[in-house]
Amino acid sequence: MVREEIAVSTRTLQWKCVESRIDSKRLYYGRFILSPLMKGQGDTIGIAMRRALLGEIEGTCITRAKSEKVPHEYSTIVGIEESVHEILINLREIVLRSNLYGIMDASICVRGPRYVTAQDIISPTSVEIVDTTQHIAKLTEPIDLRIGLQIQRDRGYRMKSTRNSQDGSYPIDAVYMPVRNVNHSIHSYENGNEKQEILFLEIWTNGSLTPKEALYEASRNLIDLFIPFLHVEEEDINFKEDKDKFTPPPFPFQDRLINLKKNKKRIPLKFIFIDQLELPSRTYNCLKRSNIHTLLDLLSNSQEDLMRIEYFRIEDVKQILDTLQKHFAIDLPKNKFLF
């Protein structure tokens, strides 16, 4: 275990790394504190940092594998203990580190009998394998195993297509996120007549980044998101009444926007985003992956269109219909031709 004390002051604020340890090659842990904060600021920073750490940091992983003479993903190969599906799962777990973008090619070319591990991956020099002992397959007979791989750098999580490729190329669920988990907690105390807070932030990573590096990346990404607001010129903001321009409503979505019919001329549907509909996260993510971002996008689809969305269920469509009826008193047609 390594304990560190590194502090950077911004006015009276100080942050410290109070604990840092490496549990394994693929599990790093760091514990940080930020203080003193005013009451309420702990949650403001903690929630934002957690979302940025889990969703905004980029990582590198294997996204596709190709092998000849493989009829389908769930087939088995004589001389290999694992099925093709199990090998794809093992490839998904390989932890990589790279700073380059775009698609990079790699490969595996070995002959059994032997264990195949991440060390057998032939990759570009720009790609580093964090744990070379990660298991891929076990060859029980003297056969050749040749697999072509694609490596990409991105952020978040991408689910593979359910359709198998005809050329023996199979997509792999891409888990780009280098941060495994984040916890934040707040300790409140009184400093004279003023209530103050200490923010505790715990970060676990997969080894491709240290927790301190992840904290830096997340902080930089959050700052980048807010930079445009710092460069807004006064002349860019027009407070004069203009009937042809859209003015965002000053009230929250929970007020149901009074009534869509009364507001439709004043509030264009393209400015009402689906994250305001309070849909379950699963339904929301499916819609976003289908490039449905606003209420206008949603109303351009029928119930039949929604059911064609990958991983969508009838319960998800019902939830959307109930929400549209409750807040806007409108329904989606069952079929496209009803528009």
Side-chain angles (χ1 to χ4, degrees):
M1 180 184 299
V2 180
R3 293 186 177 272
E4 306 174 66
E5 289 191 6
I6 300 174
V8 177
S9 295
T10 306
R11 295 180 183 177
T12 59
L13 287 181
Q14 289 187 331
W15 73 271
K16 293 181 181 179
C17 177
V18 294
E19 184 177 354
S20 176
R21 68 171 186 261
I22 300 176
D23 294 329
S24 69
K25 291 183 179 180
R26 286 176 279 151
L27 185 58
Y28 284 47
Y29 171 80
R31 187 165 180 258
F32 307 86
I33 62 172
L34 179 66
S35 67
L37 298 168
M38 296 175 61
K39 183 179 179 181
Q41 289 183 336
D43 269 332
T44 300
I45 299 174
I47 293 173
M49 287 302 302
R50 186 177 190 276
R51 292 181 66 90
L53 284 162
L54 292 175
E56 296 294 329
I57 300 181
E58 296 178 338
T60 304
C61 66
I62 299 172
T63 58
R64 184 172 290 273
K66 181 177 181 179
S67 182
E68 297 178 355
K69 300 179 181 179
V70 176
H72 56 81
E73 180 181 343
Y74 297 96
S75 61
T76 58
I77 301 174
V78 177
I80 302 180
E81 189 172 284
E82 292 82 2
S83 67
V84 175
H85 179 69
E86 290 171 327
I87 294 175
L88 294 177
I89 292 176
N90 292 337
L91 290 172
R92 183 186 66 187
E93 300 299 321
I94 302 296
V95 180
L96 303 173
R97 178 174 22 225
S98 175
N99 292 322
L100 297 183
Y101 294 90
I103 298 176
M104 294 166 279
D105 294 325
S107 63
I108 298 174
C109 185
V110 296
R111 183 171 179 80
R114 58 170 295 179
Y115 286 96
V116 183
T117 66
Q119 187 175 8
D120 297 306
I121 297 176
I122 304 171
S123 61
T125 55
S126 58
V127 178
E128 178 186 349
I129 300 172
V130 172
D131 184 2
T132 57
T133 65
Q134 282 186 265
H135 179 75
I136 297 177
K138 179 182 178 182
L139 307 185
T140 58
E141 297 182 12
I143 63 170
D144 292 326
L145 176 64
R146 293 185 176 88
I147 303 176
L149 304 174
Q150 282 187 358
I151 297 174
Q152 280 186 278
R153 178 178 173 85
D154 207 332
R155 66 181 62 184
Y157 176 81
R158 300 286 186 276
M159 287 188 294
K160 65 182 181 180
S161 172
T162 55
R163 298 178 182 177
N164 286 332
S165 176
Q166 299 297 323
D167 61 353
S169 177
Y170 298 95
I172 300 174
D173 288 342
V175 185
Y176 296 106
M177 301 174 290
V179 176
R180 287 188 170 186
N181 194 19
V182 180
N183 284 337
H184 87 275
S185 57
I186 298 167
H187 171 68
S188 301
Y189 64 97
E190 292 188 1
N191 184 11
N193 296 327
E194 185 180 5
K195 289 187 176 181
Q196 295 184 335
E197 297 178 342
I198 300 175
L199 172 65
F200 293 85
L201 199 63
E202 295 180 289
I203 304 173
W204 289 263
T205 69
N206 65 0
S208 62
L209 285 179
T210 66
K212 191 188 300 183
E213 289 172 335
L215 186 62
Y216 172 81
E217 288 291 332
S219 302
R220 189 182 65 179
N221 289 338
L222 279 177
I223 292 172
D224 289 344
L225 290 174
F226 287 105
I227 282 178
F229 295 109
L230 301 178
H231 296 286
V232 175
E233 300 293 339
E234 186 173 353
E235 56 267 23
D236 293 336
I237 305 176
N238 185 8
F239 291 100
K240 296 180 180 180
E241 185 176 358
D242 190 339
K243 295 182 180 180
D244 296 330
K245 291 187 176 181
F246 164 69
T247 302
F251 41 84
F253 180 79
Q254 286 74 7
D255 293 337
R256 303 183 185 181
L257 306 180
I258 304 175
N259 188 290
L260 180 64
K261 294 182 179 179
K262 295 180 181 179
N263 290 288
K264 62 183 179 181
K265 294 182 179 179
R266 187 161 52 88
I267 306 174
L269 301 183
K270 65 180 180 180
F271 290 107
I272 302 176
F273 295 91
I274 63 170
D275 54 356
Q276 295 175 275
L277 301 182
E278 300 176 349
L279 296 170
S281 57
R282 183 183 175 280
T283 307
Y284 170 80
N285 289 329
C286 287
L287 291 175
K288 293 288 284 186
R289 282 194 298 270
S290 299
N291 292 319
I292 298 176
H293 305 288
T294 67
L295 186 57
L296 180 62
D297 297 334
L298 182 59
L299 296 180
S300 300
N301 291 270
S302 65
Q303 297 180 35
E304 188 178 42
D305 294 330
L306 295 181
M307 285 303 300
R308 293 196 186 100
I309 295 177
E310 191 174 16
Y311 303 109
F312 229 58
R313 305 171 303 186
I314 187 65
E315 293 85 356
D316 302 322
V317 176
K318 187 178 184 303
Q319 176 74 36
I320 291 174
L321 294 176
D322 291 343
T323 300
L324 292 177
Q325 184 61 232
K326 177 181 177 182
H327 295 292
F328 301 109
I330 52 177
D331 291 312
L332 288 180
K334 291 185 177 181
N335 302 303
K336 196 76 172 180
F337 64 84
L338 291 179
F339 276 102

